[in-house]
């Protein structure tokens, strides 16, 4: 990594410390203050993690110095949190770079800037989950889980098939992740080939497949049921694996729409308008599509275990939480 990569605050390089800082932003009993404090904190962390994150409006070209600087910075954050070795750090940089290139900057909403947001959201929610009593992931396995979540967030929207059946974009995005991993191993003549970080990559690819918006409501029910079953005596390994994947899938699903769930109405509608313009430009009826999308969010809001602490913010937004016509 570049010697000019900025020093990160200690609170951003430890799961417990990061979770603690996030919780402090929502200590107030007033949801309006919670919303203000949390979004301000998230904006601040975004600029630290991505070393002054590029703007949503007209984001710079993928190969610009500014984007390269952000890629180095976020890779540094991930490596410090997970304590990964030099080889893993190189792979993470390569994979996020590949996702950034695939997302590009031409789509109005689903560009690399959205991917950066989802990556940060997923990282923050995962840190919160590690700090919850429902999390049954052994401490010595949490770095692997975090890396898988980062890879899933990076690739979750790299392919957008606007006129294909539901799930097509997610399946193609998952395949793009697997292909990027194989390409990295081939380019670097890795002695273990595609087995290098295979667990993290395969888990990430599975998580991407579960981000279809229509899955949200069933995913919420599955999280509650599996967590309850996993708390019983002597759960099977198959149950624990299914519980893990379900919890992580809910986290990724929440991370993907966190702006819509947490931003105050005017700013959330700004994001919706970007989606609207992207849909219309691809020949999609934006009104019908967004109406369907919002029905997957209301009235449940957050569906993941760590997302529950933000429900007061979502409830505050709920009365105006719908696309404008």
């Amino acid at each position: 990594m570049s010697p000019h990569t900025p020093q990160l605050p200690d609170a951003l390089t430890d799961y417990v410390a990061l979770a603690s800082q996030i919780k402090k932003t929502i200590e107030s009993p007033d949801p309006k203050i919670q919303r203000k404090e949390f979004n301000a904190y998230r904006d601040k962390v975004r600029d630290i993690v991505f070393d002054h994150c590029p703007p949503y409006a007209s984001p710079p070209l993928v190969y610009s110095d500014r984007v390269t600087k952000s890629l180095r910075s976020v890779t540094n954050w991930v490596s410090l949190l997970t304590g990964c070795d030099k080889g893993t750090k190189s792979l993470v940089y390569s994979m996020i770079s590949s996702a950034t290139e695939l997302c590009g900057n031409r789509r109005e909403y689903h560009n690399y800037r959205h991917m950066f947001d989802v990556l940060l959201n997923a990282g923050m929610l995962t840190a919160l989950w590690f700090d919850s009593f429902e999390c049954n992931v052994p401490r010595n396995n949490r770095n692997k889980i975090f890396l898988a979540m980062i890879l899933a967030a990076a690739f979750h929207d790299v392919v957008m098939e606007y006129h294909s059946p539901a799930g097509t974009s997610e399946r193609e995005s998952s395949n793009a992740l697997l292909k990027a991993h194989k390409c990295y191993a081939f380019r670097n003549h890795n002695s273990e080939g595609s087995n290098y970080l295979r667990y993290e990559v395969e888990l990430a690819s599975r998580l991407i497949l579960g981000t279809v918006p229509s899955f949200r409501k069933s995913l919420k029910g599955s999280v509650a049921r599996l967590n309850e079953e996993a708390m019983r005596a002597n759960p099977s390994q198959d149950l624990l694996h299914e519980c893990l994947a379900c919890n992580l899938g809910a986290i990724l699903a929440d991370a993907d729409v966190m702006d819509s769930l947490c931003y105050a109405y005017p700013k959330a509608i700004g994001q919706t308008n970007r989606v609207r313009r992207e849909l219309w430009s691809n020949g999609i009826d934006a009104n019908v599509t967004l109406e369907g999308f919002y029905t997957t969010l209301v009235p449940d809001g957050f569906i993941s275990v760590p997302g529950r602490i933000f429900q007061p913010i979502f409830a505050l937004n709920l009365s105006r939480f719908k696309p404008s016509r």
Side-chain angles (χ1 to χ4, degrees):
M1 290 301 110
S2 167
H4 302 296
T5 301
Q7 184 71 30
L8 290 174
D10 290 342
L12 296 184
T13 60
D14 177 82
Y15 298 128
V16 175
L18 177 57
S20 178
Q21 281 212 341
I22 297 170
K23 290 178 180 178
K24 285 182 180 178
T25 68
I26 56 171
E27 286 179 337
S28 171
D30 186 343
K32 288 185 178 179
I33 296 177
Q34 290 183 16
R35 183 174 65 187
K36 177 181 177 181
E37 294 295 323
F38 171 68
N39 286 323
Y41 174 75
R42 188 162 56 119
D43 290 345
K44 178 182 177 181
V45 171
R46 182 189 297 112
D47 270 344
I48 294 173
V49 166
F50 290 98
D51 195 4
H52 301 290
C53 196
Y56 242 124
S58 302
L61 294 173
V62 170
Y63 299 107
S64 67
D65 290 341
R66 185 170 186 183
V67 175
T68 298
K69 182 173 66 170
S70 289
L71 291 173
R72 287 172 175 162
S73 184
V74 69
T75 302
N76 185 50
W77 175 61
V78 172
S79 68
L80 288 172
L81 257 177
T82 60
C84 63
D85 58 28
K86 185 177 180 180
T88 302
K89 186 175 183 179
S90 175
L91 182 143
V92 170
Y93 178 81
S94 175
M95 296 291 281
I96 298 178
S97 297
S98 295
T100 302
E101 181 179 354
L102 288 169
C103 288
N105 69 332
R106 294 186 178 183
R107 293 185 296 216
E108 188 74 27
Y109 179 77
H110 292 100
N111 51 43
Y112 72 76
R113 182 59 175 74
H114 167 68
M115 182 268 282
F116 283 179
D117 278 349
V118 176
L119 192 155
L120 177 64
N121 295 340
M124 295 173 75
L125 286 171
T126 303
L128 283 169
W129 185 55
F130 287 163
D131 198 45
S132 68
F133 76 90
E134 289 99 333
C135 179
N136 54 21
V137 177
R139 292 189 180 276
N140 62 0
N141 203 37
R142 292 184 179 184
N143 290 336
K144 286 180 173 289
I145 299 304
F146 191 86
L147 285 170
M149 179 59 73
I150 291 300
L151 293 176
F155 279 84
H156 82 285
D157 270 342
V158 295
V159 177
M160 295 298 296
E161 294 287 349
Y162 299 98
H163 297 277
S164 299
T168 303
S169 297
E170 291 77 10
R171 184 171 61 254
E172 293 302 317
S173 294
S174 177
N175 289 338
L177 165 65
L178 297 174
K179 182 178 179 180
H181 179 237
K182 289 181 179 178
C183 287
Y184 176 86
F186 178 79
R187 287 197 311 269
N188 289 274
H189 307 288
N190 190 280
S191 60
E192 297 180 8
S194 59
N195 287 325
Y196 188 55
L197 292 189
R198 182 175 178 178
Y199 171 80
E200 292 87 340
V201 170
E202 289 187 350
L203 176 56
S205 69
R206 180 179 175 183
L207 298 181
I208 293 171
L209 293 174
T211 56
V212 181
S214 58
F215 289 179
R216 282 187 67 87
K217 291 186 183 297
S218 62
L219 192 56
K220 179 183 179 182
S222 297
V223 166
R225 175 179 59 82
L226 289 169
N227 281 340
E228 182 179 351
E229 292 180 6
M231 297 290 283
R232 297 172 184 169
N234 302 318
S236 68
Q237 286 300 309
D238 287 345
L239 173 62
L240 292 176
H241 288 316
E242 186 181 1
C243 184
L244 170 66
C246 195
N247 274 281
L248 293 176
I251 290 172
L252 181 60
D254 277 350
D256 191 19
V257 296
M258 201 161 179
D259 287 353
S260 295
L261 295 171
C262 282
Y263 277 142
Y265 182 74
K267 195 165 187 178
I269 267 305
Q271 303 288 52
T272 299
N273 286 339
R274 290 191 181 93
V275 179
R276 186 184 298 279
R277 290 193 294 270
E278 181 177 318
L279 291 172
W280 282 123
S281 68
N282 285 277
I284 304 294
D285 188 324
N287 290 331
V288 172
T289 302
L290 285 171
E291 195 69 56
F293 166 70
Y294 273 77
T295 61
T296 69
L297 304 183
V298 177
D300 296 327
F302 287 92
I303 62 173
S304 67
V305 168
R308 291 184 309 207
I309 67 172
F310 302 111
Q311 282 296 83
I313 296 176
F314 172 71
L316 175 66
N317 296 336
L318 185 57
S319 63
R320 305 185 72 186
F321 193 70
K322 55 186 177 181
S324 62
R325 290 187 177 276

